[in-house]
mmCIF file of all heavy atoms in Angstrom:
data_model
loop_
_atom_site.group_PDB
_atom_site.id
_atom_site.type_symbol
_atom_site.label_atom_id
_atom_site.label_comp_id
_atom_site.label_asym_id
_atom_site.label_seq_id
_atom_site.Cartn_x
_atom_site.Cartn_y
_atom_site.Cartn_z
ATOM 1 N N GLY A 216 -140.744 -20.947 -89.033
ATOM 2 C CA GLY A 216 -141.606 -19.952 -89.694
ATOM 3 C C GLY A 216 -140.856 -18.880 -90.454
ATOM 4 O O GLY A 216 -141.467 -18.098 -91.174
ATOM 5 N N GLY A 217 -139.552 -18.844 -90.285
ATOM 6 C CA GLY A 217 -138.787 -17.782 -90.957
ATOM 7 C C GLY A 217 -138.446 -18.100 -92.396
ATOM 8 O O GLY A 217 -137.778 -17.309 -93.071
ATOM 9 N N ALA A 218 -138.877 -19.269 -92.898
ATOM 10 C CA ALA A 218 -138.439 -19.701 -94.234
ATOM 11 C C ALA A 218 -139.010 -18.901 -95.417
ATOM 12 O O ALA A 218 -138.301 -18.730 -96.399
ATOM 13 C CB ALA A 218 -138.747 -21.189 -94.417
ATOM 14 N N PRO A 219 -140.274 -18.404 -95.400
ATOM 15 C CA PRO A 219 -140.778 -17.787 -96.622
ATOM 16 C C PRO A 219 -139.954 -16.601 -97.092
ATOM 17 O O PRO A 219 -139.757 -16.425 -98.293
ATOM 18 C CB PRO A 219 -142.201 -17.350 -96.280
ATOM 19 C CG PRO A 219 -142.518 -17.904 -94.968
ATOM 20 C CD PRO A 219 -141.293 -18.446 -94.354
ATOM 21 N N SER A 220 -139.433 -15.774 -96.146
ATOM 22 C CA SER A 220 -138.606 -14.650 -96.593
ATOM 23 C C SER A 220 -137.361 -15.204 -97.274
ATOM 24 O O SER A 220 -136.846 -14.625 -98.228
ATOM 25 C CB SER A 220 -138.188 -13.758 -95.430
ATOM 26 O OG SER A 220 -139.194 -13.707 -94.481
ATOM 27 N N GLY A 221 -136.870 -16.366 -96.790
ATOM 28 C CA GLY A 221 -135.716 -17.010 -97.415
ATOM 29 C C GLY A 221 -136.044 -17.456 -98.838
ATOM 30 O O GLY A 221 -135.184 -17.416 -99.718
ATOM 31 N N VAL A 222 -137.294 -17.861 -99.050
ATOM 32 C CA VAL A 222 -137.705 -18.281 -100.404
ATOM 33 C C VAL A 222 -137.674 -17.070 -101.339
ATOM 34 O O VAL A 222 -137.154 -17.143 -102.453
ATOM 35 C CB VAL A 222 -139.132 -18.887 -100.381
ATOM 36 C CG1 VAL A 222 -139.623 -19.173 -101.790
ATOM 37 C CG2 VAL A 222 -139.154 -20.151 -99.535
ATOM 38 N N ILE A 223 -138.222 -15.948 -100.877
ATOM 39 C CA ILE A 223 -138.223 -14.742 -101.717
ATOM 40 C C ILE A 223 -136.787 -14.346 -102.042
ATOM 41 O O ILE A 223 -136.444 -14.035 -103.177
ATOM 42 C CB ILE A 223 -138.931 -13.566 -100.987
ATOM 43 C CG1 ILE A 223 -140.401 -13.895 -100.770
ATOM 44 C CG2 ILE A 223 -138.772 -12.273 -101.758
ATOM 45 C CD1 ILE A 223 -141.282 -13.821 -102.002
ATOM 46 N N LYS A 224 -135.908 -14.428 -101.033
ATOM 47 C CA LYS A 224 -134.506 -14.055 -101.265
ATOM 48 C C LYS A 224 -133.894 -14.990 -102.307
ATOM 49 O O LYS A 224 -133.200 -14.539 -103.227
ATOM 50 C CB LYS A 224 -133.728 -14.105 -99.945
ATOM 51 C CG LYS A 224 -132.287 -13.736 -100.135
ATOM 52 C CD LYS A 224 -131.542 -13.397 -98.875
ATOM 53 C CE LYS A 224 -130.123 -12.898 -99.153
ATOM 54 N NZ LYS A 224 -129.436 -13.486 -100.285
ATOM 55 N N LEU A 225 -134.173 -16.284 -102.168
ATOM 56 C CA LEU A 225 -133.633 -17.250 -103.127
ATOM 57 C C LEU A 225 -134.089 -16.876 -104.542
ATOM 58 O O LEU A 225 -133.282 -16.822 -105.480
ATOM 59 C CB LEU A 225 -134.108 -18.664 -102.760
ATOM 60 C CG LEU A 225 -133.725 -19.785 -103.724
ATOM 61 C CD1 LEU A 225 -132.217 -20.050 -103.682
ATOM 62 C CD2 LEU A 225 -134.468 -21.086 -103.379
ATOM 63 N N LEU A 226 -135.394 -16.586 -104.693
ATOM 64 C CA LEU A 226 -135.916 -16.290 -106.035
ATOM 65 C C LEU A 226 -135.380 -14.949 -106.556
ATOM 66 O O LEU A 226 -135.101 -14.811 -107.742
ATOM 67 C CB LEU A 226 -137.450 -16.303 -106.018
ATOM 68 C CG LEU A 226 -138.051 -17.693 -105.774
ATOM 69 C CD1 LEU A 226 -139.559 -17.606 -105.596
ATOM 70 C CD2 LEU A 226 -137.731 -18.654 -106.919
ATOM 71 N N GLU A 227 -135.204 -13.996 -105.626
ATOM 72 C CA GLU A 227 -134.628 -12.713 -106.064
ATOM 73 C C GLU A 227 -133.187 -12.898 -106.509
ATOM 74 O O GLU A 227 -132.753 -12.337 -107.506
ATOM 75 C CB GLU A 227 -134.713 -11.680 -104.935
ATOM 76 C CG GLU A 227 -136.109 -11.091 -104.843
ATOM 77 C CD GLU A 227 -136.294 -10.161 -103.658
ATOM 78 O OE1 GLU A 227 -135.343 -9.991 -102.852
ATOM 79 O OE2 GLU A 227 -137.411 -9.643 -103.513
#
Side-chain angles (χ1 to χ4, degrees):
S220 326
V222 173
I223 296 286
K224 180 164 186 326
L225 175 69
L226 292 173
E227 281 174 358

